Amino acid sequence: MGQLQERYKSYRRPQEYEKQGIYPYFRAITSKQGTEVEMDGHQVLMFGSNAYTGLTGDERIIAKAKEALDKYGSGCAGSRFLNGTLDLHVQLEKDLAAFVNKDEAMCFSTGFSVNQGVIPALLSKDDFIICDDRDHASIVDGRRLSFAKQLRFKHNDMEDLERVLQKLPEEAVKLIVVDR
């Protein structure tokens, strides 16, 4: 057996934390996702999810999702790029564009996929991407996929951002990416 196999065979830290009652991962939720969930028979506030609007448990949305399941099945069977774009995707994007008074909109399933798709598409090898040094990991991954020159500034420090910008050619394309 190799060194790595020996190391992970004897790794027991998660089990030690579980015994102490402080292991926070893989705790089963036994209710709809929302601002409150049921865990171990208790209603608890959920601060760790992306379901902060509470819409994942909204009966109107659930009814529409059931209709979509009946019509489309349980998945797209392909990426949107190749063969997974459904007419409801197109309609959603048209409706969203109209809602925000824009010509078009494009939906992504996660913020991570937005950063992986949009950041590299916007920039070339002669461009600059400038990021806050505490940007979310998905932004870091998106910028790494870009061929642009990558620069960072100190977290929320506009003077440091200005210092970085001053070093760049005025005519160069520059994209500043920060978390909100």
Side-chain angles (χ1 to χ4, degrees), residues 39 73 78 92 101 111 128 143 165:
M39 298 174 89
L92 172 64
N101 202 25
F128 294 89
R143 81 166 194 249
L165 289 169

Side-chain angles (χ1 to χ4, degrees), residues 15-153:
Q15 291 84 352
E16 293 167 15
Y17 291 145
E18 282 180 317
K19 286 178 186 174
Q20 296 173 37
I22 59 172
Y23 188 72
Y25 305 108
F26 305 108
R27 296 180 60 197
I29 296 170
T30 55
S31 65
K32 292 176 184 170
Q33 290 281 347
T35 55
E36 293 183 19
V37 297
E38 184 176 306
M39 298 174 89
D40 297 323
H42 302 285
Q43 282 295 117
V44 297
L45 294 174
M46 173 52 77
F47 294 107
S49 91
N50 291 330
Y52 43 82
T53 62
L55 292 175
T56 53
D58 186 288
E59 294 302 325
R60 297 166 299 174
I61 293 173
I62 292 170
K64 288 294 185 181
K66 288 177 182 177
E67 286 178 31
L69 278 168
D70 288 340
K71 181 174 181 178
Y72 299 101
S74 62
C76 296
S79 70
R80 291 263 330 259
F81 182 66
L82 295 175
N83 62 337
T85 296
L86 303 177
D87 56 349
L88 58 84
H89 294 128
V90 175
Q91 188 60 52
L92 172 64
E93 290 171 339
K94 285 181 182 177
D95 291 348
L96 287 172
F99 181 72
V100 295
N101 202 25
K102 299 294 180 187
D103 293 334
E104 294 190 40
M106 179 180 277
C107 293
F108 288 84
S109 58
T110 66
F112 180 82
S113 61
V114 170
N115 291 327
Q116 282 193 314
V118 174
I119 293 172
L122 292 175
L123 302 168
S124 73
K125 66 178 181 55
D126 297 319
D127 301 331
F128 294 89
I129 183 168
I130 307 158
C131 295
D132 187 300
D133 68 3
R134 291 192 196 165
D135 274 343
H136 188 272
S138 65
I139 293 173
V140 172
D141 287 346
R143 81 166 194 249
R144 286 178 177 161
L145 290 172
S146 165
F147 291 109
K149 296 168 191 77
Q150 300 176 27
L151 304 166
R152 284 179 288 216
F153 64 95

